[in-house]
């Protein structure tokens, strides 16, 4: 026993320096580096070990503590630098623990004076002599989070002098009494305590301290130590995801380096953002593979409270194991697992109100009519009659007879100023070493901003409610067998007006302010002869639709350690079953429609009935649903031999996904994939890292001999800061790693509509035809619809070079990655076939090639100022540009029209030179079709043929998807107060304006609202070039003004203050205990608080068009969080 | 040593996995069932094959929709489609080019051609048809497909000029691009090919439908009539001795439109038309009442009457009804006959307004503007004008139309649904269609009728040799006029003098044709082949739709532009096609 105790400090020391690699001989003690404490007493590296003297210097410098101690007796003692960050009492406690292991103990003299003296067991005899007699021998194995045995973990029975450390196999043996507490501690890991009951054999995993070098990250099909990780991946702090939004996808852009996202709608239940990893690199499906707890699942409806970790895998080294599924990057989400200990309950509730970030606004009735007259006059100079008479405009202004002369502000009629949302979550976690649990229930409720007709006999409000539940159980069945079980899901219900919100928005943009009132004064529903219906009627009098979705995810995993066969070997198998169901029930109707004709001699309104309504609610239903089976089995190996760290993994998996409510033959066929994945890693001395991955898998949608592909990747890493020569620099740069990877990944989701490229399909052809004297014979058409071709997956060759760096005492960390990707064999229709060949549809092929490149990175800074201040800041960015190398298309006639060599989704259009100044300007310019007058847009004649046409269309602007996405946030905390903000921004993006409602008087005079911006236009009196609209015409397509041109491309970049958070955690008070409380926090979250953009017409993130989408929401929430012991 | 062990184990595992994968699991991905419908099976079954043939037929374009499907009336001087939102407006202001090409049918017609060829090449040996109907039915179906293919080629030829002829084999979809390169054939070659195909179809096709259920299928008469029209076009000035196209050549120098005049082309055209007449299967439609207005309206409204040579059974004519009907009748009120067309109609004495003493633009008779009084029956059958009594659609009891500004059918604040010419087309508009009550009068869309053949024949004969064929020419012109209820040339009551010269006769024939075939999608092609488009395509006129009273309304007013450039003679080939068919040359001027 004594010998063991003597060795202890040495063990601690050795393991500490080498960060988990293990010494073969004790002679390598010389690796201990010298002072890591500067003269000012600052510690450079928090995860290092310091000598006792260094500690004393530090504590004196920082806290003016004085020590009396024997230098000889303590010379072998090393103390984790991290201990210095603890609270005062804890420092003393930890020091005492460490010293006791070396036969010493700490005695407090005064608050600032301490003495180190030889250890004397002062523990009084336990008051339970019975227990004393139940002395048992405990054995166990301690592993790190990867399952690798930990050598040198200190095992201590609290309050006794019984202590030991684990051997090379991670094993220990110790004598304890029932009821005593065993404490396990190791540098870089969270100290664990276990109360001894009946069990005498333990298999314990140590949890690494966050930020330390033992930190473990989730990678494809497993975990890795962060330090030895070569693949490019980013993670986000889970706390950042806890925003008052229903859909997790909305908060991701700007928070993870490498993730590009845009949100195009704020409609409750339909507001998911589109997300791409490192941009879009293909013409086909570019959605990343999303895995929740290892199974392909959608994450939109997960309660962020239940997420343990969220990371994205970006390069080939990280994604090759997914083979044919991984080319678009992978999102890995792990849900929370139980933690050993007494049950801990956490309750949260927040409630807030929502409002639109930005609403488009329209001109009022009189302005509308004056503008219409102006446009009409401009197009019909000879006409003596204005479009709208003076009297009518006057009557509209007066508002004297809104039935005949309406002046409707549709936005005001349709929308409330605010909506509501609230979120609640309760979770509980706890358990023993052998059984841990995490249970959670969440609730989200959002009420939209549409108005409701109070008189209607049904509820047509827009509302989305969701209940989530998650449960995770982790059981140790035997000493070597573990069972994990998880079940989670949600139930969501939505209520919507009978007319789809898209259609309602569209109608608002179509309806002029003078066309009709929301409702006639006698309650009649206004419907124009053309069928155009009052949007207010569509909203409130067309019934309602309910939507119900539920989802169940379940997974069970069995892990068997095979240490008895080969140390470090284990096998695991998993099965999961997921099911999703949705049904929509519509109870819709149309009401009788009327158009007002005028007033009769008695002043009574005269109506023409324009529509016969159904008037009573009708019924319709729709279903959707799917189910998925997933099976996985793998063998894992992880071990260390001296300086050599080795791991290996080989895994089989298969997925079977069935669209349970498929609407056609092709989509009813199960979606399946199957394959094996493997990984081998080798690390030498935590300096040189080597990794090889592969995926060999296939999918059901290719021809039998083309189903399986092999996707290998290789990676190299070099931890420069662990080199001897770096020792001096390491005072400044505490950590430096460079890594590079290259590999291939595939994408089998090449087409949603045309899954089986290798099979010809027969369809309806062009159309049917009828014969017969009395039209009696109708034949449906029939023809080949798709030709069979030999197709396969598309392939991405990805290169990644990354650099990780920490400096300023580890306060500042920087990760930057450069990447490039060649996506080849992109599934495209062959577009170089002349039309006269007469193909019903152009055959597909693996034809496209896209080259994508870019940079992404993260910079984090975190520091403590004095005792109470903690400041942290974080920023990250992504820039990428994908360029088309081959699009299987014929060459365009002119070089400026070529798509090859240009950005993917590059916009093309005419180049606007400005507005024509006068007739002479028009005469001297190339011919433009239509009626051209001063104030019309003047275009550039690129091919010099004297006329403006499509041959003059050249690249304009960037595109609808930003090339640059960035985010920056900071958090400041002082005692219990915390304040934080997060900005998200995008750049190299633009908005193209078009569409009816944006374009004035496009189709007909009774259609098409006018945006407020129309007032900023060219007129003969205001012949300015600096306007939004050119000369107004009636109709607006009488010339080329509204052709696709650079005039209508506006800068779409913006910076959004996405979150603003403030919270206060109450200091512990006595009444906490009464209620069993351990913590209470109140907080405020502002979401989408402010947006800064040059673009003002609507919420710029909605993108192209006329802004006729349900806008994004801002919300302000107040919440409270209660933690119970 | 341990590494070795690890390697052994992983190799072992890998082997196990591979065995799993390659044996039983291989089936895991075999998901597509074998007994789906394949194209081979389509041709084993009767119903499926007939459906395939129906798909071939569906490429015959209907002519009911004159605003988004056919511009052949709306882009001429006979019709103004009032809405600027429709692409006819784009053509009328000259806003079209090879990359922005409304009414482009190039690719769509070639799909029909491919499907027809595929049908002809695969239908042989269809066991079910053989068993039920015998080889004869298969031959008939093949001939029908051949007819439709020729029809598609013709549709391309008249709109785009010289075509790409593909022959009897379809090209493999996965062939190298080089194999797809085919140059255009010359205009004459195209005509020869199509005419030859129609001859071989006519040789097999039945003379008339065997059963009621076969109405609408191609017949011998349809094939011969189409051939007759093609040969007439080919003999016309634009394609017969037109020097304008001397430089219109393929890349290899081959001339695409011959500049040589050949009078025998007229002879051939005349013979081909006569051959249709000589079938003696068809007769001009006359209403039982003998009322010429009813007779003329019945040609297109009375289904499968004896004048009908070929028609399309399913079509958009009820949509045409709705678009043409006055607002008061529940229509969209937007198919405006032009003043030019109104002026073209004869007076009831059979003379043009410029020659007739009956014509007046002053005053009113029974509230009707005198311009519309004493006109020929075809005018009343074809055009609606201010104050006309009308019944139809949702007008249950006859009432007067009001095209004044603010009137029930005129311009009205807040709607675009009014005719800018102050007229509406009434020809081929069925009063039995009522949008408000959802009543639709479906009828075949007549694509070729005997009246046209008579006019073709007369025109060809006149151009071939007026003097020796005068009697024959007058016979057929007079048959048309007789049915129209107007005096004939040199015969019958109130006979008009016989045109003295070929040129005079030409004018008479052309005006007769313009009136008789108005709004039937002929005008667009006629003004081109006669080479008169430059004069015709000028801004069209109407009455002043802004006028609130008679004095303001009854004023000839320019309504919408009609652009003309020589390039408009043909549609351009789509730029898409020029970029891919590398042997193709673009049409002149584009």
């Amino acid at each position: 026993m004594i010998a063991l105790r003597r060795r202890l400090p040495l063990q601690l020391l050795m393991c500490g320096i080498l960060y988990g690699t293990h010494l073969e001989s004790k002679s390598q003690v010389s690796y201990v580096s010298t002072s890591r404490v500067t003269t000012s007493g600052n510690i450079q590296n928090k995860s290092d070990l310091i000598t006792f003297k260094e500690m004393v210097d530090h504590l004196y410098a920082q806290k003016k503590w004085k020590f009396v101690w024997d230098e000889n007796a303590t010379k072998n003692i090393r103390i984790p630098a991290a201990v210095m960050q603890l609270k005062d009492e804890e420092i003393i406690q930890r020091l005492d623990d460490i010293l006791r292991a070396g036969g010493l103990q700490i005695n407090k003299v005064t608050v600032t004076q301490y003495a180190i003296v030889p250890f004397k067991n002062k523990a009084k005899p336990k008051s339970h002599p019975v227990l004393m007699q139940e002395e048992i021998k405990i054995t166990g194995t301690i592993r790190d989070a990867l399952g690798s045995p930990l050598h040198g973990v200190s095992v201590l029975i609290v309050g006794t002098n019984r202590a030991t450390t684990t051997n090379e196999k991670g094993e220990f043996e110790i004598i304890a009494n029932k009821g005593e507490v065993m404490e396990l501690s190791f540098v870089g890991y969270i100290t664990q305590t276990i109360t001894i009951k009946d069990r005498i054999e333990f298999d314990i995993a140590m949890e690494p301290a966050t930020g330390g070098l033992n930190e473990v990250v989730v990678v494809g099909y497993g975990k890795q130590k962060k330090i030895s990780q070569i693949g490019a991946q980013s993670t986000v702090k889970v706390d950042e995801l806890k925003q008052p939004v229903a859909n997790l996808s909305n908060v991701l852009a700007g928070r993870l380096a490498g993730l590009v996202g845009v949100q195009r709608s704020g409609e409750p239940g339909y507001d998911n953002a589109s997300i791409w990893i490192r941009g879009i690199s293909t013409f086909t499906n570019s959605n990343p593979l999303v895995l929740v707890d290892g199974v392909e699942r959608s994450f939109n409806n997960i309660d962020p409270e239940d997420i343990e970790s969220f990371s994205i895998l970006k390069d080939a080294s990280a994604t090759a194991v997914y083979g044919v599924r991984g080319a678009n990057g992978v999102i890995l989400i792990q849900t929370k697992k139980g933690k050993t200990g007494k049950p801990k309950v956490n309750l949260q509730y927040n409630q807030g109100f929502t409002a639109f970030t930005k609403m488009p606004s329209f001109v009022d009735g009189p302005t509308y009519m004056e503008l219409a007259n102006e446009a009409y006059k401009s197009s019909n100079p000879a006409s003596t009659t204005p479009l709208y008479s003076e009297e009518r405009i006057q009557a509209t202004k007066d508002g004297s007879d809104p039935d005949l002369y309406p002046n409707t502000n549709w936005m005001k009629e349709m929308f409330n100023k605010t909506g509501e949302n609230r979120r609640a979550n309760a979770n509980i976690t706890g358990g023993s070493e052998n059984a841990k649990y995490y249970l959670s229930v969440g609730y989200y409720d959002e009420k939209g901003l549409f108005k409701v007709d109070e008189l209607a006999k049904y509820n047509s409000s827009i509302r989305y409610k969701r209940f989530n539940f998650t449960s995770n159980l982790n059981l140790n069945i035997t000493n070597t067998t573990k069972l994990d079980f998880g079940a989670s899901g949600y139930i969501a219900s939505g209520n919507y007006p009978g007319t789809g919100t898209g259609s309602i928005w569209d109608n608002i943009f179509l309806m002029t302010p003078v066309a009709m009132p929301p409702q006639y004064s006698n309650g009649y529903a206004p419907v124009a002869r053309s069928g155009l219906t009052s949007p207010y009627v569509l909203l409130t009098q067309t019934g309602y639709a309910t939507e119900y979705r539920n989802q169940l995810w379940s997974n069970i995993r069995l892990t068997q350690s095979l240490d008895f066969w080969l140390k470090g070997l284990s096998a695991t198998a998993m099965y999961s079953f997921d099911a999703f169901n949705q049904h929509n029930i519509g109870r819709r109707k149309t009401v009788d429609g009327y158009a007002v004709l005028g007033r009769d001699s008695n002043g009574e309104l005269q109506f023409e009935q324009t529509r016969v309504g159904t008037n009573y609610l009708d019924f319709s239903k729709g279903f959707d649903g799917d189910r998925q089976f997933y099976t996985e089995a793998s063998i894992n190996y992880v071990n260390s031999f001296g300086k050599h760290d080795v791991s290996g993994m080989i895994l089989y998996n298969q997925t079977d996904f069935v669209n349970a409510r498929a609407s056609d033959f092709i989509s009813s066929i199960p979606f399946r994939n199957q394959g094996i994945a493997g990984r081998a890693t080798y690390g030498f001395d935590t300096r040189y890292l080597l990794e090889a991955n592969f995926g060999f898998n296939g999918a059901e949608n290719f021809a039998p001999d083309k189903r399986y592909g092999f996707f290998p990747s290789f990676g190299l890493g070099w931890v420069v800061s662990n080199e001897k020569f770096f020792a001096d620099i390491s005072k400044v740069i505490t950590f430096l790693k460079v890594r590079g990877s290259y590999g291939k990944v595939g994408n089998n989701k090449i087409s949603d509509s045309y899954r089986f490229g290798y099979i010809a399909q027969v369809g309806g052809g062009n159309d049917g035809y009828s014969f017969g004297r009395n039209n009696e014979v109708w034949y449906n058409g029939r023809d080949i619809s798709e030709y069979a071709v030999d197709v396969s997956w598309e392939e991405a060759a990805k290169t990644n070079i990354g650099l990780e760096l920490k400096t300023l005492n580890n306060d500042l960390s920087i990760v930057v990655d450069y990447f490039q990707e060649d996506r080849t064999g992109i599934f495209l229709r062959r577009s170089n076939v002349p039309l006269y060949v007469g193909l019903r549809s152009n055959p597909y092929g693996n034809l496209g090639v896209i080259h994508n490149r870019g940079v992404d990175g993260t910079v984090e800074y975190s520091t403590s100022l004095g005792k109470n201040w903690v400041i942290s800041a974080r920023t990250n960015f992504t820039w990428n540009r994908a360029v088309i190398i081959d699009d299987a298309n014929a060459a365009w006639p002119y070089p400026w029209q070529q798509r090859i060599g240009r950005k993917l989704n590059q916009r093309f259009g005419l180049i606007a030179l400005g507005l024509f100044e006068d007739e002479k300007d028009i005469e001297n310019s190339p011919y433009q079709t239509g009626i051209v007058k001063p104030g019309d847009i003047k275009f550039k004649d690129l091919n010099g043929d004297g006329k403006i046409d499509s041959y003059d269309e050249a690249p304009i602007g960037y595109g609808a998807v930003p090339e640059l996405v960035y985010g920056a946030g900071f958090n400041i905390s002082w005692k219990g107060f915390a304040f934080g903000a997060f900005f998200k921004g995008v750049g190299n993006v633009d908005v193209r304006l078009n569409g009816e409602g944006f374009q004035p008087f496009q189709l007909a005079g009774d259609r098409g609202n006018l945006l407020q911006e129309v007032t900023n236009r060219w007129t003969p009196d205001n012949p300015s070039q600096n306007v939004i609209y050119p000369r107004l015409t009636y109709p607006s397509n009488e010339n080329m003004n509204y052709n696709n041109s650079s005039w209508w491309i506006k800068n779409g970049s913006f910076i959004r203050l996405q979150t603003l958070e403030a919270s206060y955690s109450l200091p512990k008070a006595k009444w906490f205990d009464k209620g069993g409380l351990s913590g209470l926090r109140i907080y405020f979250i502002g979401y989408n608080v402010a947006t800064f953009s040059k673009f003002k017409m609507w919420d710029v993130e909605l993108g192209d068009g006329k802004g006729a989408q349900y806008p994004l929401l801002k919300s302000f929430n107040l919440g409270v969080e209660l933690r119970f012991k | 040593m341990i590494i070795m062990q690890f390697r052994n184990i992983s190799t072992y595992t890998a082997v196990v996995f591979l065995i799993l994968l390659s044996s039983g699991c291989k089936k895991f991905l075999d998901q597509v069932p074998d007994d789906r419908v394949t194209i081979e099976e389509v041709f084993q079954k009767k119903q499926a094959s007939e459906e395939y043939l129906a798909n071939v037929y569906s490429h015959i374009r209907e002519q009911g929709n004159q605003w988004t499907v056919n511009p052949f009336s709306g882009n001429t001087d006979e019709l103004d489609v009032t809405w600027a939102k429709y692409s006819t407006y784009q053509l009328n202001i000259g806003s079209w080019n090879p990359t922005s090409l409304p009414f482009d049918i190039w690719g769509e017609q070639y799909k029909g051609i491919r499907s027809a060829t595929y049908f002809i090449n695969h239908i042989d040996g269809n066991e079910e048809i053989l068993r039920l109907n015998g080889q004869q039915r298969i031959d008939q179906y093949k001939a029908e497909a051949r007819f439709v293919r020729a029809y598609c080629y013709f549709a391309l030829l008249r709109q785009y000029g010289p075509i790409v002829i593909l022959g009897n084999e379809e090209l493999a979809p996965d062939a190298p691009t080089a194999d797809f390169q085919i140059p255009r054939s010359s205009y004459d070659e195209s005509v020869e090919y199509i005419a030859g195909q129609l001859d071989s179809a006519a040789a097999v096709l039945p003379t008339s439908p065997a059963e009621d259920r076969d109405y609408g299928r191609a017949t011998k008469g349809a094939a011969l009539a189409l051939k007759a029209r093609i040969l007439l076009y080919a003999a016309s000035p634009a394609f017969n001795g037109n020097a304008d196209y001397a430089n219109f050549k393929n890349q290899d120098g081959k001339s695409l439109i011959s500049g040589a005049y050949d009078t025998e082309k007229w002879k051939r055209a005349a013979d081909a038309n006569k051959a249709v007449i000589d079938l003696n299967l068809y007769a001009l439609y006359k209403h039982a009442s003998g009322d010429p207005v009813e007779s003329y309206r019945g040609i297109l409204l009375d289904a499968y009457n004896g004048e009908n040579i070929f028609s399309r059974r399913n079509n958009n004519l009820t949509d045409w009804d709705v678009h043409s009907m006055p607002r008061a009748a529940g229509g969209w009120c937007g198919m405006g006959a032009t003043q030019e067309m109104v002026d073209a109609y004869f007076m009831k004495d059979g003379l043009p307004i410029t020659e007739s003493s009956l014509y007046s633009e002053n005053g009113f008779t029974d509230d009707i503007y005198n311009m519309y009084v004493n006109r020929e029956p075809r005018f009343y059958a074809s055009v609606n004008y201010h104050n006309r009594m009308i019944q139809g659609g949702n007008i249950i009891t006859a009432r007067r139309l009001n095209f004044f500004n603010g009137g029930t059918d005129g311009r009205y604040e807040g709607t675009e649904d009014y005719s800018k010419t102050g007229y509406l087309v009434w020809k081929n508009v069925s009063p039995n269609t009522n949008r408000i009550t959802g009543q639709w009068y479906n009828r075949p869309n007549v694509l070729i009728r005997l009246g046209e053949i008579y006019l073709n024949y007369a025109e060809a004969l006149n151009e071939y040799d007026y003097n020796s064929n005068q009697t024959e020419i007058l016979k057929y012109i007079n048959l048309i006029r007789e049915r129209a209820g107007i005096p004939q040339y040199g015969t019958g009551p109130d006979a008009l003098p016989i045109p003295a010269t070929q040129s005079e006769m030409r004018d008479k024939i052309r005006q007769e044709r313009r009136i008789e075939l108005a709004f039937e999608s002929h005008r667009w092609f006629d003004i081109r082949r006669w080479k008169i488009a430059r004069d015709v395509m000028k801004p069209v006129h109407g009455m002043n739709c802004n006028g609130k009273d008679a004095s303001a309304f009854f004023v000839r007013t320019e309504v919408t532009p009609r652009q003309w450039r020589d390039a408009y003679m043909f549609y351009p080939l789509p730029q898409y096609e020029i970029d891919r068919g590398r042997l193709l040359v673009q049409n002149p001027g584009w």
Side-chain angles (χ1 to χ4, degrees), chain A residues 233-300:
Chain A
Q233 72 180 70
S234 313
T235 56
V236 61
K237 282 202 186 109
V238 178
D239 279 346
E240 288 195 39
L241 303 178
K242 296 177 186 171
Q243 307 296 342
V245 292
N247 203 314
L248 199 52
S249 64
N250 295 344
V251 298
L252 297 175
R255 292 185 199 262
L256 288 123
L259 188 139
V260 177
V262 285
Q263 186 186 348
R264 302 294 195 203
S265 165
E267 183 183 352
Y270 288 94
D271 53 354
N272 27 314
S274 307
I275 283 172
W276 303 280
I277 291 176
R278 291 182 162 174
I280 302 172
S281 306
T282 177
F283 299 112
T284 64
N285 188 321
S286 50
N287 297 331
L289 174 69
V290 179
L291 298 167
V292 181
D293 288 334
V295 183
E296 185 169 355
R297 290 162 171 170
S298 144
F299 67 94
N300 289 333

Side-chain angles (χ1 to χ4, degrees), chain B residues 202-223:
Chain B
V204 178
L205 289 170
T207 49
S208 51
E211 305 171 53
D212 275 2
R213 58 179 283 121
D214 288 335
Y215 273 76
R217 289 191 181 276
T219 58
K220 183 181 188 130

Side-chain angles (χ1 to χ4, degrees), chain B residues 418-438:
Chain B
Y418 66 92
S419 159
K420 291 197 202 51
T421 64
Y423 302 106
L424 286 173
V425 177
W426 187 234
K427 181 173 173 179
N428 199 11
V429 175
S430 169
N432 297 324
T433 291
N434 184 345
R435 182 184 66 84
I436 306 291
T437 57

Side-chain angles (χ1 to χ4, degrees), chain A residues 234-237 240 254-257 858-861 872-876 967-971 981-983:
Chain A
S234 313
T235 56
V236 61
K237 282 202 186 109
E240 288 195 39
R255 292 185 199 262
L256 288 123
T858 303
V859 179
E860 282 175 294
Y861 181 76
S872 66
R874 175 182 165 104
T875 177
N876 54 61
F970 66 86
N971 286 290
F982 176 80
F983 293 85

Side-chain angles (χ1 to χ4, degrees), chain A residues 1055-1112:
Chain A
I1055 296 179
R1056 208 193 275 288
L1057 174 52
Q1058 195 182 46
T1059 46
L1060 193 64
E1061 267 186 278
S1063 72
Y1064 177 58
S1065 300
L1066 271 66
K1068 280 195 179 169
K1070 273 190 183 164
W1071 58 270
F1072 273 28
D1073 285 333
K1074 279 185 195 160
L1077 270 178
S1078 70
L1080 196 163
R1081 189 172 74 99
I1082 51 175
Y1083 59 90
F1084 162 83
I1085 304 177
Y1087 179 76
N1088 278 352
V1089 177
T1091 307
F1092 309 95
S1093 172
K1094 281 185 186 162
F1095 187 85
K1096 308 285 184 206
M1097 298 173 88
W1098 52 81
D1099 188 312
V1100 57
E1101 195 169 354
L1102 296 179
D1104 289 1
K1106 54 188 182 183
Q1109 297 99 315
Y1110 199 100
L1112 304 197

